[in-house]
Amino acid sequence: MNFIPDNISKHDNVFDVLKERGFIEQTTHDDEIRALLGKEKIKFYIGFDPTADCLHVGHFMQIIIMMYMQKYGHTPIVLIGGGTTMVGDPSGRTDMRRMMTPTVIRDNCILFEGLFRRFLEFDEEFMYTPSGTTLGKGTVNKEPDPGKAVCVNNISWLQTLNYIEFIRDIGRHFSVNTMLRAECFKQRMEKGLSFLEFNYMLMQSYDFMVLARDLDCKMQFGGNDQWSNILGGADLARRELGKQVYGMTFALLTTSEGKKMGKTQKGALWLNPNKTSPYEFY
């Protein structure tokens, strides 16, 4: 089902293929990542917050990355952000996201999962069960089948967290001074950044740590606006787990005004013919 042709590149290391095709914008460790992707098949993840009922063309860039990685034998972990959507990602925004009800978020999660199955092959039998405590290790029923993707929803581990426990165990690793220098927060300081949104970096970083600990996930990918969050997660995994994990970002698709193409911006190009016709998409 993977739509990437067999003869897409002369390279056999997916890092070189992504580089050749101009996808890679930033990495945490260029040489180490290239060596890692060349010598072993890894698990990696990209997170998608269901703040709308459909994916758009900006998401499709991330899906293409996952398709390339799967084509070269790596295991995609699709993370649906049912928990992080409750807070709202301030990255790349000049205003606060509107609050959504748990019912709407849950419905959007289901729709997102269905869309991913149009582009990736999944191991439908794989199940992950979180521990229910901040530092408790979750369990899986099996290793993902070779070459198959898996899907997880961070509501499954975030909704059970005890706030005091989370702040003591996870919050202690984060410097407020460092966080305020992050691009995702800097551009919001003038108009106001809510404490709710300020928690987002801790939550996404915790996601990376959970997946590194429980599923042996070694990389996180994302758009350029996720760089600070990815660095936070890599640092948390190092501090809490003693594990080296890696990050890679890609350039964002932007409108003619240079603004990020997002779900809540005007003119979004949806991956649903009922919302954006193939003719309009073209």
Side-chain angles (χ1 to χ4, degrees):
M1 193 188 77
N2 196 299
F3 301 113
I4 305 296
D6 290 337
N7 60 347
I8 193 69
S9 173
K10 66 180 185 292
H11 299 293
D12 56 10
N13 185 328
V14 68
F15 182 90
D16 297 325
V17 179
L18 296 177
K19 196 85 170 175
E20 175 185 59
R21 301 189 72 81
F23 282 113
I24 299 174
E25 188 83 4
Q26 300 180 90
T27 72
T28 53
H29 308 77
D30 246 39
D31 294 337
E32 290 179 39
I33 290 172
R34 184 179 184 278
L36 175 68
L37 295 178
K39 72 182 180 183
E40 63 179 274
K41 305 305 180 186
I42 69 162
K43 299 186 192 79
F44 69 96
Y45 95 94
I46 301 180
F48 300 84
D49 280 354
T51 53
D53 60 3
C54 184
L55 297 160
H56 59 70
V57 68
H59 292 128
F60 192 54
M61 292 286 290
Q62 312 300 315
I63 293 171
I64 289 172
I65 301 299
M66 298 182 113
M67 290 167 66
Y68 271 105
M69 290 288 287
Q70 187 172 56
K71 181 72 174 180
Y72 283 79
H74 303 283
T75 301
I77 301 171
V78 177
L79 185 148
I80 308 292
T84 39
T85 302
M86 295 281 193
V87 171
D89 184 2
S91 303
R93 295 186 61 90
T94 57
D95 59 345
M96 184 174 172
R97 294 185 184 274
R98 66 182 177 86
M99 300 297 289
M100 301 171 64
T101 67
T103 301
V104 170
I105 293 172
R106 184 180 65 248
D107 291 346
N108 288 350
C109 287
I110 294 169
L111 291 168
F112 267 35
E113 288 184 37
L115 281 164
F116 282 113
R117 283 173 170 75
R118 290 167 49 188
F119 305 104
L120 299 167
E121 294 185 67
F122 281 86
D123 180 346
E124 304 293 353
E125 296 179 358
F126 175 88
M127 289 188 299
Y128 166 68
T129 305
S131 68
T133 61
T134 306
L135 299 180
K137 194 175 188 326
T139 58
V140 296
N141 63 327
K142 63 190 285 286
E143 276 295 300
D145 288 345
K148 297 290 182 70
V150 297
C151 186
V152 295
N153 190 327
N154 63 14
I155 191 68
S156 67
W157 59 81
L158 292 177
Q159 70 179 346
T160 60
L161 292 179
N162 176 294
Y163 187 72
I164 293 177
E165 184 180 289
F166 180 74
I167 291 299
R168 283 175 61 90
D169 292 339
I170 303 304
R172 65 192 178 92
H173 294 301
F174 289 80
S175 160
V176 172
N177 291 348
T178 300
M179 291 174 70
L180 290 176
R181 287 195 293 270
E183 201 61 41
C184 60
F185 292 141
K186 273 192 339 191
Q187 61 186 10
R188 289 292 306 282
M189 293 303 290
E190 288 185 16
K191 292 191 175 181
L193 175 73
S194 72
F195 184 71
L196 177 70
E197 296 171 291
F198 199 59
N199 278 268
Y200 191 91
M201 183 182 287
L202 273 71
M203 295 170 73
Q204 183 171 328
S205 298
Y206 181 67
D207 286 346
F208 199 178
M209 189 206 82
V210 166
L211 296 180
R213 180 191 65 200
D214 299 351
L215 275 65
D216 194 30
C217 175
K218 293 187 176 177
M219 283 192 70
Q220 180 182 175
F221 295 74
N224 244 4
D225 58 342
Q226 298 302 313
W227 182 241
S228 299
N229 294 328
I230 291 172
L231 291 179
D235 186 60
L236 181 62
R238 179 184 60 82
R239 290 172 180 271
E240 193 61 51
L241 307 175
K243 294 187 75 167
Q244 177 69 66
V245 293
Y246 304 93
M248 183 185 295
T249 63
F250 311 98
L252 298 172
L253 281 182
T254 58
T255 65
S256 57
E257 289 82 32
K259 295 180 180 178
K260 171 187 172 182
M261 279 191 176
K263 296 183 288 295
T264 51
Q265 306 301 321
K266 289 182 179 179
L269 297 174
W270 303 101
L271 304 184
N272 181 334
N274 296 321
K275 292 171 74 73
T276 301
S277 74
Y279 178 79
E280 288 177 305
F281 195 99
Y282 177 77

